[in-house]
Amino acid sequence: MITTGDIVNKLSRHGYRLTPQRLMILDAVDGADDHISTDEIYMQVCDQYPHLNISTVYRTLELLKELGLVTETDLGDGRVRYHSIKKGHHHHLVCHKCGQTIDMDESVLSPLKAALSRDYDFDAELSHLAIFGICKNCR
Amino acid sequence: MITTGDIVNKLSRHGYRLTPQRLMILDAVDGADDHISTDEIYMQVCDQYPHLNISTVYRTLELLKELGLVTETDLGDGRVRYHSIKKGHHHHLVCHKCGQTIDMDESVLSPLKAALSRDYDFDAELSHLAIFGICKNCR
DNA sequence: ATTGCAGATGCAAGGGGTTGCATCTGCAAT
DNA sequence: ATTGCAGATGCAACCCCTTGCATCTGCAAT
Ligand SMILES: [Zn+2]
Ligand SMILES: [Zn+2]
Ligand SMILES: [Zn+2]
Ligand SMILES: [Zn+2]
């Protein structure tokens, strides 16, 4: 369990400060049942704190991503979605035709990650990927 | 070698028409030495045909992609880039720290494509991917 | 408790890309 | 050569996201 104290420490260790906006935005992502979009976060936090600016939401999500507290992915619906790291790593298959998304375990990409490390000495960040294509129903 | 006649056929087979705009845009992508961006295409075609609208460029590239004449990729510089299919399939590794891009052969992703087909019955479109991470110089 | 200041925020302008709609045009049928 | 019309274009408004800048504030040092 990550506490507010842990977050303060993690931020200050990198020279960042804990602000009410950051806390509320992180709460919104952590409390979301599913992948949550920037404007959903914005609207939700605005209910408690109407002065919040949308650019703060974008900047905070960038920071939380950098600190490894959230992951981001683009499921192809024209906006980026976020996900608390507490819910574990996974990936998605997205069908171009029907729009269905299939969840995949992190391990599916392990061989690729290993191959890139071995052959190219490249440390790939494959934490929350969406792969597009055609699902079995639409072939 | 793909001729204008081939393109007319490919278009009309799908119920699409050949317009001067489409021909000029395809020429710009085919003639580019490297991955070319939408606004580079726009500016280049505008030299011959100043009336061209940028939304026509976006719509045409979408169509050419659908027909398999160009591939698209996002190398992380805030704009999408295009590439003629004539130049063959490949992928890219992009370093988050130094911005360097390393070219990869298509075959690197073959095992993944096969695994997704076998395990999920999913036909992944992995024609021109950019994978982000940290290169060997920046580790 | 005060102070100082680097880091954070709000604001507004701007950049890349998409979309609805009225007009135009390639092209197939006559 | 004309005609008809679905497909294509130009235009303007819009959406998602980023950025420069002036102001504000968390927090460490005193
Ligand atoms: Zn996910
Ligand atoms: Zn499907
Ligand atoms: Zn490429
Ligand atoms: Zn690097």
Side-chain angles (χ1 to χ4, degrees):
Chain A
M1 179 54 195
I2 300 171
T3 67
T4 302
D6 294 334
I7 296 165
V8 175
N9 289 338
K10 195 152 202 169
L11 285 165
S12 69
R13 219 179 305 133
H14 292 81
Y16 300 127
R17 303 201 303 236
L18 182 67
T19 64
Q21 289 94 328
R22 288 180 177 171
L23 213 46
M24 290 185 287
I25 291 167
L26 183 56
D27 277 352
V29 180
D30 278 357
D33 285 334
D34 202 348
H35 302 73
I36 189 170
S37 71
T38 315
D39 59 306
E40 285 164 354
I41 296 167
Y42 177 61
M43 288 186 300
Q44 193 174 315
V45 177
C46 268
D47 285 347
Q48 324 164 34
Y49 183 73
H51 192 57
L52 179 71
N53 190 275
I54 186 70
S55 59
T56 301
V57 177
Y58 283 108
R59 285 190 277 230
T60 298
L61 289 167
E62 186 63 32
L63 178 64
L64 295 176
K65 204 174 61 179
E66 210 178 298
L67 296 175
L69 295 171
V70 305
T71 62
E72 160 192 294
T73 200
D74 176 359
L75 263 14
D77 63 343
R79 77 206 59 207
V80 173
R81 292 185 172 275
Y82 293 87
H83 192 276
S84 171
I85 209 73
K86 293 179 185 171
K87 282 159 194 150
H89 283 165
H90 62 268
H91 308 286
H92 302 276
L93 296 173
V94 182
C95 178
H96 253 99
K97 287 205 180 145
C98 67
Q100 185 197 178
T101 77
I102 302 161
D103 292 6
M104 286 190 298
D105 192 76
E106 189 177 17
S107 61
V108 183
L109 295 182
S110 304
L112 174 62
K113 196 169 156 57
L116 294 176
S117 182
R118 177 176 20 86
D119 298 343
Y120 294 90
D121 215 347
F122 188 86
D123 183 22
E125 286 162 13
L126 300 171
S127 56
H128 194 188
L129 225 66
I131 295 175
F132 296 88
I134 309 292
C135 80
K136 62 178 169 186
N137 300 325
C138 295
R139 290 234 227 189
Chain B
M1 177 58 194
I2 301 173
T3 67
T4 304
D6 295 335
I7 297 165
V8 175
N9 289 338
K10 195 153 201 167
L11 286 165
S12 69
R13 218 180 305 133
H14 292 80
Y16 300 127
R17 302 203 303 236
L18 182 67
T19 64
Q21 289 93 329
R22 287 180 177 170
L23 213 47
M24 289 186 288
I25 291 167
L26 183 56
D27 276 353
V29 180
D30 278 358
D33 284 335
D34 202 349
H35 302 73
I36 189 170
S37 71
T38 314
D39 59 306
E40 286 165 354
I41 296 168
Y42 178 59
M43 289 186 300
Q44 194 175 314
V45 177
C46 267
D47 285 348
Q48 325 165 33
Y49 183 73
H51 192 55
L52 179 72
N53 190 274
I54 187 70
S55 59
T56 300
V57 178
Y58 284 109
R59 286 191 278 228
T60 298
L61 289 167
E62 185 64 32
L63 177 65
L64 296 175
K65 203 173 62 179
E66 212 179 297
L67 296 175
L69 296 171
V70 307
T71 61
E72 160 192 294
T73 201
D74 175 359
L75 261 17
D77 64 343
R79 79 206 59 206
V80 173
R81 291 183 172 276
Y82 294 86
H83 193 277
S84 172
I85 209 72
K86 293 179 186 173
K87 282 159 194 150
H89 283 165
H90 62 267
H91 308 287
H92 302 275
L93 297 173
V94 183
C95 178
H96 254 101
K97 286 203 178 144
C98 66
Q100 184 197 177
T101 75
I102 302 162
D103 291 7
M104 286 191 298
D105 192 76
E106 188 178 18
S107 63
V108 184
L109 295 182
S110 304
L112 175 62
K113 195 169 157 57
L116 295 176
S117 181
R118 176 177 20 87
D119 299 343
Y120 293 90
D121 215 346
F122 189 86
D123 183 21
E125 285 161 15
L126 301 171
S127 54
H128 194 188
L129 225 65
I131 294 175
F132 296 87
I134 308 293
C135 81
K136 63 178 171 186
N137 299 327
C138 297
R139 290 233 226 189

